[in-house]
Amino acid sequence: MENKTQEEASTIKVSSLTCIDLANPNFQQSAVSLKQSKKFFALPLEEKMKVLRNENHRGYSPVLDQILDPENQVDGDYKESFFIGIEVVLPGWRATMEKYHQEALRVCKAIARLLALALDLDTNYFDKPEMLGNPIAVMRLLRYEGMSDPLKGIFGCGAHSDYGMLTLLATDSVTGLQICKDKDVKPRKWEYVPSIKGAYIVNLGDLLERWSNGIFKSTLHRVLGNGQDRYSIPFFIEPSHDCLVECLPTCQSENNLPKYPAIKCSTFLTQRYQQSHVNLSIYKQP
Ligand SMILES: O=C(O)CCC(=O)C(=O)O
Ligand SMILES: [Fe+2]
């Protein structure tokens, strides 16, 4: 992947990358992490609530805690999640998660170099200290349950695009993820993304769409439950908290002015996280 030529990278630009699979170079690592994740979610709810998410959105988030598409959902998402960042006392947990985090970060930085090439930027453009030199790199464990019914507004996870730059997604073999390749066309056409053993799925986020002035479109996606439990691990990568995300130099011209105002990365992300989660106070004992 790091050896992509300029020509190959430009082909990606023309086709406006939305969602790609990569041969997962460290398949074992995501499989081990998915196994550990299952062990965590198998704990009694009362144990999981002891590591309830904090104000920084690190920790456990119960079923229905998040609602990603309120216009089309009657309840919240039928999933529970754990944002890595607070300690969990399970044997081998920390070492497994740290190893996977390192690997996922390496892969994301390699993809970012490819994106830089596609945008006619220096290969290492996104490696600057204020960008992926000091990234926000967050790993989330997910478990979905139940049977979705789009006509009734019941979803494993409602339609959304991820907030940041890129998401590297490892899933088990249970299908459920759908993408909409052209989010401007109505009615929306949803397609299942096959779960390929040993492959990551890559979704592009809203910050990248803003940064690239819409050359890259963020991937609209949702998850339908099929009655089986489904586990996945998204790894979200964004530039540093203080990075000012403003139209990249190669993505604007006299005839193509910046479409989005500049925004600080942390401001954008905080707004989006708060909008989609219930207020933490509902979990406090009266
Ligand atoms: O579980 C999946 O396949 C998708 C997860 C997702 O879209 C998210 O966490 O943002
Ligand atoms: Fe997502």
Side-chain angles (χ1 to χ4, degrees), residues 1-13 17 20-22 110-111 113-118 123:
M1 185 174 50
E2 277 134 310
N3 297 330
K4 277 257 181 239
T5 61
Q6 184 82 38
E7 198 181 321
E8 283 170 305
S10 301
T11 313
I12 292 171
K13 180 168 153 185
L17 181 77
I20 55 175
D21 292 322
L22 297 168
I111 298 169
R113 292 190 190 109
L114 195 58
L115 297 178
L117 276 182
T123 317

Side-chain angles (χ1 to χ4, degrees), residues 29-38 170-172 231-233:
Q29 207 44 51
S30 50
V32 173
S33 304
L34 282 164
K35 249 193 203 160
Q36 281 283 14
S37 165
K38 268 190 188 181
T171 68
D172 67 8
Y231 295 83
S232 69
I233 307 182

Side-chain angles (χ1 to χ4, degrees), residues 16-277:
S16 165
L17 181 77
T18 49
C19 185
I20 55 175
D21 292 322
L22 297 168
N24 178 342
N26 204 347
F27 175 58
Q28 283 306 336
Q29 207 44 51
S30 50
V32 173
S33 304
L34 282 164
K35 249 193 203 160
Q36 281 283 14
S37 165
K38 268 190 188 181
K39 283 193 192 149
F40 170 76
F41 288 121
L43 293 171
L45 181 61
E46 144 192 334
E47 283 303 307
K48 293 184 280 192
M49 288 304 276
K50 288 183 188 162
V51 286
L52 182 67
R53 67 181 165 87
N54 59 26
E55 299 292 342
N56 295 325
H57 286 277
R58 298 291 189 274
Y60 177 64
S61 157
V63 174
L64 307 187
D65 185 48
Q66 191 174 29
I67 180 158
L68 280 160
D69 183 16
E71 270 176 39
N72 294 301
Q73 282 178 276
V74 287
D75 298 316
D77 295 348
Y78 282 85
K79 65 171 199 250
E80 49 182 344
S81 88
F82 185 86
F83 270 107
I84 298 284
I86 54 179
E87 207 61 54
V88 168
V89 191
L90 279 176
W93 167 273
R94 195 187 174 116
T96 305
M97 298 308 167
E98 279 180 357
K99 211 162 167 206
Y100 184 70
H101 193 282
Q102 265 175 19
E103 170 60 16
L105 186 56
R106 191 190 64 75
V107 175
C108 285
K109 285 187 174 185
I111 298 169
R113 292 190 190 109
L114 195 58
L115 297 178
L117 276 182
L119 294 172
D120 300 323
L121 296 163
D122 288 345
T123 317
N124 297 324
Y125 186 89
F126 293 117
D127 291 323
K128 296 189 177 79
E130 70 276 23
M131 299 180 185
L132 302 188
N134 290 296
I136 307 175
V138 185
M139 189 172 157
R140 188 185 198 190
L141 312 176
L142 286 167
R143 175 187 157 271
Y144 296 88
E145 62 183 36
M147 177 75 96
S148 294
D149 186 342
L151 294 178
K152 291 193 178 140
I154 298 170
F155 294 93
C157 151
H160 68 286
S161 42
D162 294 345
Y163 314 150
M165 183 179 182
L166 278 181
T167 307
L168 190 72
L169 185 62
T171 68
D172 67 8
S173 56
V174 179
T175 48
L177 177 67
Q178 294 187 319
I179 57 164
C180 168
K181 282 191 186 145
D182 191 342
K183 53 190 176 183
D184 300 324
V185 170
K186 301 275 165 53
R188 285 182 173 150
K189 190 169 167 266
W190 292 98
E191 294 171 47
Y192 276 103
V193 178
S195 164
I196 300 170
K197 203 171 176 183
Y200 288 120
I201 294 156
V202 180
N203 287 326
L204 303 185
D206 297 333
L207 272 183
L208 184 65
E209 180 166 328
R210 295 175 77 103
W211 233 351
S212 69
N213 211 16
I215 289 180
F216 286 128
K217 304 268 185 250
S218 57
T219 317
L220 185 66
H221 56 287
R222 67 184 190 182
V223 175
L224 299 191
N226 69 359
Q228 278 175 282
D229 282 3
R230 175 177 180 273
Y231 295 83
S232 69
I233 307 182
F235 181 87
F236 305 99
I237 188 158
E238 355 283 6
S240 75
H241 284 271
D242 292 330
C243 181
L244 190 67
V245 177
E246 58 186 337
C247 185
L248 291 161
T250 53
C251 299
Q252 54 183 298
S253 65
E254 244 172 61
N255 303 325
N256 183 25
L257 296 173
K259 297 182 181 70
Y260 307 93
I263 191 159
K264 201 167 98 168
C265 175
S266 56
T267 310
F268 184 76
L269 295 179
T270 306
Q271 278 170 4
R272 300 289 300 271
Y273 274 108
Q274 272 167 2
Q275 276 162 7
S276 72
H277 283 86

